[in-house]
Amino acid sequence: MRKPLAVLATLAASSLVLAACAMPADDPNFGLSGSGDGTTEGGISASDAQSVVDQYLVAPTSIGIDTPLAATPAPGAVIIGLSDGTEEAKALDASMTAAATALGWTYEIVEGAGTPDGAIAAFDEALAKKPAGIHIDGAYVDYLVDGLAKATTDGVPVVCTGCIVDPLDALKDTSIAGKAEVDDWGKAVASYIEVNSAQDAVLQLFAYSSGAAAQFNQGLQAALLQYCEPCSTTENLIDLADPTMLPADVLSLAMQLDPLVNWASFAPGALSATLGDALTAAGIATETVKVVGWAPTAANIQATIAGTEAAWMGFPTPVVGWRVMDQFARIIGGEEIVVGPLPAQLLTAETAGTAALDADGNYTGVSDYEAQFKALWGVK
């Protein structure tokens, strides 16, 4: 049975801090002015959508960089990574461990970065170990101003993935899954929605409140609302630092408050785990809501192959981890860092079945990524 809207409103105010904002295309605060033909002056037009989709349907073949190291790195370096304990962080840590091993290095993990105070303490702990480098995530970079200043003084380089800030001082690189690239991924998913709807998208977005996930949401909304004046989006941001904000509760409440929803986006895909339950609670038929997003789980990919979910921008976590180690190899070796696109692909029912996946069904971008990196590094 569906709960009355008055009860739901009370729940929203008292038990959840639900960061939600509807963004119709004619919202004066959005900074865009749509025209009647679905285009915007100086922006993207509806006629561009198919070409963007076509671009991202093509399976990548490269890790995104092709500049060899000037010399094989000396063994023995210790790189430390901060972890917030999410499944996404664990997968990234596993890939960085494998990449470090290939270089003859050691990768250590410091847990506890899931809260502001935890991230600060974890970074201080990492810095005290005097490593050759520290990896952080854009989800908590804002908390580390003082720590990064000390890293600059100590001469410890930092690489940040999923960052939307520019590199500065100790923060040597923020290009991997950086702002511009993540924006483009959001635009690709918006293009897919435009191609596969009739100017009628009512979209609920669910994402972590910071880092690449939040930036993906911004890119998606900006593009979709340029394509489609009648469309609407509602953003639901989930703060990992708030233990009372359970993704399942946020999802259930949002669906009950929006019975007209016909698209749902998740960044990352793990947030979609309770979608079926949320739709059932809201009395919404699952087949009426098309599911899209960024960084799908293996379950999302299988659902896409089966045709029960629509499209996902694959996020090549293993390649990201190896790219981090590649940047550290260049930084430590006194070489220029190399910037290039990650091997991302739009996974649909037509492409997901032939995409590069690991033994567990997770997206890897390209199947021979390890061999490509080792060739650049001069290792076996």
Side-chain angles (χ1 to χ4, degrees):
M1 180 180 295
R2 297 180 63 184
K3 297 179 181 178
L5 289 182
V7 174
L8 291 174
T10 300
L11 285 173
S14 62
S15 63
L16 288 176
V17 182
L18 183 61
C21 56
M23 298 181 68
D26 57 357
D27 183 348
N29 296 318
F30 188 64
L32 299 173
S33 58
S35 65
D37 63 358
T39 65
T40 59
E41 183 179 355
I44 53 179
S45 68
S47 63
D48 296 327
Q50 187 65 61
S51 63
V52 175
V53 170
D54 290 344
Q55 171 192 343
Y56 277 99
L57 289 175
V58 177
T61 59
S62 167
I63 56 176
I65 57 174
D66 58 9
T67 304
L69 294 178
T72 300
V78 176
I79 304 297
I80 296 180
L82 274 58
S83 176
D84 59 13
T86 61
E87 291 303 311
E88 297 82 21
K90 292 175 183 177
L92 184 59
D93 286 333
S95 68
M96 286 195 281
T97 297
T101 299
L103 287 166
W105 293 359
T106 299
Y107 179 69
E108 298 180 2
I109 302 167
V110 176
E111 304 282 358
T115 65
D117 288 343
I120 293 168
F123 192 87
D124 289 344
E125 180 180 341
L127 199 57
K129 294 176 181 287
K130 303 186 184 303
I134 299 175
H135 168 261
I136 63 174
D137 186 272
Y140 46 79
V141 66
D142 290 344
Y143 311 145
L144 303 178
V145 174
D146 292 340
L148 288 170
K150 190 172 189 306
T152 300
T153 301
D154 292 354
V156 177
V158 178
V159 170
C160 181
T161 54
C163 258
I164 59 173
V165 299
D166 294 328
L168 178 67
D169 297 331
L171 191 58
K172 300 298 184 183
D173 181 53
T174 60
S175 67
I176 303 171
K179 182 178 185 298
E181 186 167 36
V182 176
D183 271 343
D184 282 346
W185 296 338
K187 176 181 176 180
V189 173
S191 299
Y192 178 89
I193 295 172
E194 168 64 17
V195 168
N196 290 278
S197 63
Q199 295 278 296
D200 63 350
V202 179
L203 174 66
Q204 287 280 344
L205 302 102
F206 303 89
Y208 293 148
S209 60
S210 57
Q215 190 62 44
F216 170 84
N217 263 18
Q218 291 187 32
L220 193 164
Q221 290 184 96
L224 180 62
L225 296 178
Q226 283 184 310
Y227 283 136
C228 176
E229 184 173 301
C231 295
S232 68
T233 67
T234 303
E235 185 175 50
N236 306 278
L237 297 178
I238 297 164
D239 185 358
L240 288 174
D242 183 353
T244 69
M245 186 178 288
L246 301 178
D249 291 344
V250 174
L251 181 54
S252 182
L253 178 58
M255 292 303 176
Q256 292 185 57
L257 290 173
D258 189 5
L260 298 180
V261 58
N262 54 16
W263 290 84
S265 173
F266 299 89
L271 295 177
S272 69
T274 61
L275 174 61
D277 291 341
L279 293 176
T280 298
I284 301 172
T286 57
E287 63 270 17
T288 65
V289 179
K290 296 180 180 179
V291 180
V292 295
W294 166 76
T297 64
N300 294 136
I301 294 173
Q302 287 304 308
T304 302
I305 293 172
T308 56
E309 295 183 5
W312 290 89
M313 181 55 65
F315 183 64
T317 297
V319 175
V320 172
W322 285 64
R323 283 280 295 274
V324 169
M325 289 301 164
D326 179 86
Q327 294 293 49
F328 277 125
R330 297 174 193 279
I331 293 166
I332 294 169
E335 301 181 32
E336 293 292 327
I337 62 172
V338 175
V339 175
L342 289 168
Q345 183 181 10
L346 191 61
L347 305 178
T348 66
E350 292 73 31
T351 63
T354 57
L357 307 178
D358 65 15
D360 296 320
N362 298 298
Y363 181 71
T364 64
V366 291
S367 58
D368 65 340
Y369 66 90
E370 292 190 10
Q372 292 191 41
F373 278 107
K374 289 178 179 179
L376 296 183
W377 298 346
V379 301
K380 295 182 180 180

